[in-house]
Each structure stands twice: as C-alpha cells, then as structure tokens.
Amino acid sequence: MELGQKFPLTIKRLGINGEGVGFYKRNVVFVKGALPGEEVTVKVSKVQRSFAEAEILNVRKASKDRQEPSCPVYNECGGCQLQHLTYDGQLKEKRDMVIQSLEKYVKSVADTADIRPTIGMDNPWHYRNKSSFQVRKEGKRVYAGLYSEGTNKLLNINDCAVQHPLTSKITVATRKILQKLNISIYDGKTLDGLVRTIVVRTAIHTNETQVCLVTTRKDIPHKAELIERMLKIDPSIVSITQNINREKTSLIFGDETTLLHGKETIHEKLGELAFDLSTRAFFQLNPEQTVHLYNEIKKAAELTGKEKVVDAYCGVGTIGLWLAPKAKEVRGMDVVPESIDDAKKNACNHGLKHARYYTGTAEEWLAKWKREGFTPDVVTVDPPRTGLAPSFIKTVMQIKPKRFVYTSCNPSTFAKDLQELTKIYKVDYIQPVDMFPQTARVEIVAKLTLKNK
C-alpha cells in the first residue's frame, strides 16, 4: 500500500480505539469513523510495516447502526469515539472488543469462557462526575476545553455531552472569572503563566462540588476576589482547592495541594456507602454504573462472611468497603497516601473495624502478610490501564488465593495478564460493563478460580 492510494474496503469489526478494521490484500487497515458491516471507499493516510491507516472518502453501504453524532465538535475532539454508533450497537461492539483481545493473547479463554452481554445505561449521556479542562489564552480571551485529537489546538468546550451539566457550567463560569480578573494563563509553549487546568468534581447524590485550580506556582493574584466570585457560580461549591504543578508534563496534578476555601473533601454516596473525596483521590467517574460494576465484583467474590479479602490498588477503599459487610476481614493498599487516608476515614465513618488500609504496593504487603501468616481467600484488583505489575502477578501466583476478581478498564492488558494468571486460574466468566458510553472504552469484571491440583 502507498500513501494516497484509494480503494474499496469492507469493515469487519471495531478496533480497541473505536476505529473500523478492514483487510486489503491481507493488510490490516484502520479507518476512523467506519463501522462493522459497512462498505466504504478509503484513502491511505499512513503506512506502517504491519498496518495502514485510511480516511473515509465515502460510505457506499452504511451500517443500520450508524447515526448522526449529537456533539458539534465530535469529529475534532476525539474525547468520544462512538457517538456515530447507536447505543445498542456500542454495547454489542464493546463485548466484541473483549473477545478480540482474548483471541489475540489467550485464545483458549476466548474459546471457553462465558463472555456475557455488556451491561449498559438507561441514559448514556451527561454521566461523568469529573472534568479536567485545560486552560489557555488567545488574545484577551480565556478558553477551557480539550485538545483536538493529535494536535496542540485547544477546543473551547462549553457543554460536553458526556459531562454532568454542573461540571460544564462551573468550568465555563470559572474561565470567565479568570479572564475578567486578568489572571495569567499557562502557555504550553513558553511554560509561562499561572493557571493551567480547571478540575471540577461534583457528588451526584449529595450535591457537593469541589473546584480545583491547577497552577504553576503558589501565589494567586486577586485570590480573595477570585474565591468570592467562584462561590457565586453555584451553591453546590463547598470546596475550592489549588494544586501546584510546575513540571512540563501531560499529568494534570502535581504533588502539592492546598485548600483555598471550604472543606478538604466532598461527600459522595454509592448505594449504602458514603465516601469523602479529596482533590487527587481516585473515584469512579460514572457513579450510576459504578453501582452495577461493584455489584458484579461482589457477585464474583462469592463471599459468605468467612473470607479474608485483599483489595489491591484500592484507591479510597470503595471496592473493599462494598465487599466488607460479607467479609471476615478486608485489607487494602495503594501507593497514593491521600487515597489511603481517605480509605481509613471511609472505613471508620461506616464503623467497619475489620477493614484496614495501608500505603505501599500490593506485592510488598502481600509478601509481608504471608510471612506473618495471613493469606487472603479472595483478592480483588482494579488496576490502571497499564494492567498488573509483573511482580504483583508473581506474588499472587505464590500465595494462591482461592478466587481472584479482576476488574479492568483495558481488555488488552487484562488479556496479556491472563497469559500468566491462567497457569493456575480458570476464567469462570467475564462481564463487560459500559462505564463510558460514547467512547471505545469498556470495563470488565472477571471471576477467576484456582484450578484443582
């Protein structure tokens, strides 16, 4: 294949980034915006050794699941990848993405495991409880939004179709206040300026909101007036914080967070549980689907009240506390100290004295506890997109918990990890859950049980 080459293509499936996948003379071709079953004419835009990328010139035969995206900047933004696919179609394709990952790395699991239909949402819009919008300035105007896919052009976004409306309202109002007070804005090229990101997290069930300004240094001009104006945006704002990030990095937060006004944390509920969330603490972005996700984890754990449970990569303790009422003992660990502080408070607030939390890596603590005579019956994990650390997998395979409940937001790294885990574990079933409608991301809960010797 050559750059600029044009040819007809039949799309066979969706790739992990939501692009259409077809085959031309045995070469894999990725086509952004194309859907399975479609016949399209494409033009090659990039050629690599093992694949090519192409753009659609025209759709000769459209999928019955194709629809018009509702977002005006959908094609530029890249934050969503599947708005042009009906929601029923999204749920079906997300299950298929899981199967594709398994076929690539652990075909035996793809052939034998029970891979269930994706659990979706009744209303798959405006579900995200947290936004992190970059702030930039053009002329005298301050913008807040996301970068256009593959560029350093910032799209000013006033109303995001997947964000909770309150986060959009507060972000827009905050950027206007920054502009009015002429507070300097970070420049990604020169690295000059003060404010780089506006982060808003709202608690859906308690109507408490926290706003964080990520800045390059501590001193904020007109700070008192800035806070006064921000508090007038919406009565739900009970916490305003500042995080300092001096580095040239794509990471949003630095290590230092200070309170500018109100409470250190906001309060949120999930089912029967309530949680206090500090600025940097991890918490699921879709509370409605999180209840479904955690109930699936509880189902897979099969607790009877006698089990010792370890909640690795525990964040603020949400999963462990969800399981605690039916567990004999829960221990959790995380490398972020603030998250462990929140987890301890959350356990204390619920009177769950048998749930304890520790700062550090899961493999360090599991090895230490094994030496002390503590071996868990159930280990549950919800790691970052990079998957499990090889050292953690090695430790799990040494201590051999009876059940291993793997929650993943990345089917590819999940499938890679199964290459090792399936040496001693059987995959009973995999349950996809749609935590991020309109995007190509899919969450899964897998129940693994120790094989008989």
Side-chain angles (χ1 to χ4, degrees):
M1 283 184 288
E2 298 176 352
L3 277 178
Q5 186 177 350
K6 301 173 185 178
F7 49 80
L9 192 69
T10 299
I11 305 301
K12 299 296 186 182
R13 61 175 189 257
L14 280 190
I16 58 170
N17 297 312
E19 69 279 79
V21 180
F23 298 89
Y24 180 73
K25 295 183 178 178
R26 297 188 179 180
N27 294 302
V28 179
V29 184
F30 296 105
V31 186
K32 182 182 175 183
L35 296 175
E38 292 191 329
E39 295 174 8
V40 294
T41 303
V42 301
K43 179 181 177 181
V44 176
S45 55
K46 183 186 284 187
V47 178
Q48 302 284 1
R49 181 182 297 177
S50 56
F51 67 91
E53 294 178 15
E55 56 193 39
I56 297 176
L57 293 178
N58 71 289
V59 179
R60 299 159 66 199
K61 178 186 172 186
S63 165
K64 61 180 176 54
D65 289 323
R66 179 175 282 278
Q67 65 179 11
E68 279 298 312
S70 65
C71 174
V73 294
Y74 172 65
N75 291 320
E76 294 178 83
C77 174
C80 296
Q81 301 83 38
L82 298 178
Q83 282 193 26
H84 63 295
L85 177 61
T86 63
Y87 192 52
D88 283 346
Q90 291 181 34
L91 297 180
K92 183 181 73 172
E93 294 302 331
K94 290 188 180 190
R95 178 180 180 272
D96 187 62
M97 288 178 189
V98 176
I99 294 171
Q100 285 181 54
S101 294
L102 295 171
E103 286 176 341
K104 183 175 181 180
Y105 295 106
V106 276
K107 192 165 188 317
S108 60
V109 175
D111 293 340
T112 59
D114 175 14
I115 304 163
R116 299 177 174 179
T118 309
I119 297 172
M121 294 187 74
D122 291 335
N123 176 19
W125 302 98
H126 296 297
Y127 55 83
R128 286 179 65 105
N129 62 357
K130 181 181 179 182
S131 62
S132 303
F133 280 10
Q134 305 300 313
V135 189
R136 296 294 181 267
K137 193 170 188 178
E138 288 187 16
K140 294 184 177 180
R141 190 175 176 193
V142 175
Y143 292 92
L146 302 172
Y147 285 105
S148 179
E149 188 177 17
T151 75
N152 18 356
K153 176 193 172 188
L154 192 74
L155 294 172
N156 189 52
I157 299 175
N158 291 322
D159 181 21
C160 176
V162 295
Q163 284 292 154
H164 189 284
L166 192 55
T167 65
S168 297
K169 171 190 171 183
I170 292 170
T171 300
V172 170
T174 300
R175 72 165 172 79
K176 288 181 178 179
I177 293 169
L178 293 172
Q179 180 176 309
K180 189 82 174 175
L181 296 178
N182 200 26
I183 293 172
S184 74
I185 303 301
Y186 180 71
D187 185 316
K189 293 177 183 175
T190 66
L191 310 185
D192 293 331
L194 178 65
V195 181
R196 55 194 295 169
T197 314
I198 300 169
V199 181
V200 182
R201 174 152 57 186
T202 189
I204 306 297
H205 297 291
T206 64
N207 199 36
E208 289 189 352
T209 300
Q210 181 177 74
V211 187
C212 176
L213 297 178
V214 181
T215 62
T216 55
R217 56 185 183 272
K218 190 163 188 177
D219 294 334
I220 301 177
H222 314 295
K223 183 161 74 173
E225 188 176 357
L226 171 65
I227 292 168
E228 182 184 350
R229 290 189 180 212
M230 287 175 66
L231 288 171
K232 291 177 181 177
I233 297 171
D234 194 272
S236 71
I237 298 174
V238 297
S239 173
I240 301 176
T241 64
Q242 176 189 9
N243 177 270
I244 299 167
N245 185 353
R246 298 181 174 89
E247 305 300 320
K248 184 181 181 181
T249 173
S250 59
L251 296 176
I252 292 169
F253 290 123
D255 293 331
E256 184 183 347
T257 305
T258 57
L259 182 68
L260 298 181
H261 178 87
K263 306 194 301 178
E264 293 273 3
T265 61
I266 57 172
H267 202 59
E268 177 62 301
K269 292 180 180 177
L270 277 181
E272 300 297 314
L273 298 178
F275 300 93
D276 289 315
L277 307 173
S278 57
T279 299
R280 291 177 62 216
F282 171 79
F283 193 73
Q284 293 284 359
L285 295 169
N286 185 339
E288 180 183 331
Q289 285 297 86
T290 298
V291 172
H292 293 299
L293 182 75
Y294 288 0
N295 281 338
E296 289 300 321
I297 295 170
K298 185 190 290 184
K299 191 187 300 180
E302 283 190 339
L303 302 179
T304 64
K306 299 177 182 177
E307 290 83 8
K308 292 174 284 186
V309 177
V310 164
D311 177 15
Y313 303 83
C314 70
V316 298
T318 48
I319 293 174
L321 298 180
W322 200 266
L323 301 178
K326 287 198 170 184
K328 180 181 179 182
E329 181 181 356
V330 173
R331 297 186 184 186
M333 69 287 278
D334 200 285
V335 294
V336 180
E338 296 100 319
S339 292
I340 292 299
D341 290 342
D342 289 342
K344 288 176 178 177
K345 289 174 193 170
N346 291 328
C348 181
N349 291 342
H350 291 96
L352 297 170
K353 295 180 181 178
H354 66 307
R356 301 177 184 88
Y357 292 92
Y358 306 83
T359 303
T361 68
E363 48 269 41
E364 288 169 348
W365 281 108
L366 284 168
K368 180 177 186 294
W369 292 335
K370 186 182 181 184
R371 292 193 296 270
E372 294 170 354
F374 172 89
T375 302
D377 302 291
V378 178
V379 169
T380 179
V381 295
D382 186 7
R385 290 187 63 77
T386 48
L388 300 171
S391 54
F392 174 71
I393 294 176
K394 184 179 177 182
T395 303
V396 166
M397 293 178 72
Q398 287 170 347
I399 64 171
K400 296 181 172 67
K402 296 171 192 169
R403 281 184 295 287
F404 188 83
V405 183
Y406 194 150
T407 304
S408 171
C409 59
N410 187 337
S412 291
T413 54
F414 162 74
K416 285 180 187 176
D417 290 343
L418 285 187
Q419 290 177 326
E420 285 299 310
L421 290 167
T422 50
K423 290 176 180 177
I424 66 168
Y425 283 100
K426 173 181 178 290
V427 180
D428 287 0
Y429 66 81
I430 297 168
Q431 176 62 69
V433 180
D434 189 20
M435 297 292 288
F436 301 101
Q438 318 310 327
T439 79
R441 291 177 61 180
V442 59
E443 200 102 0
I444 49 183
V445 176
K447 179 187 175 188
L448 282 62
T449 52
L450 200 60
K451 292 177 181 176
N452 294 325
K453 291 183 179 178

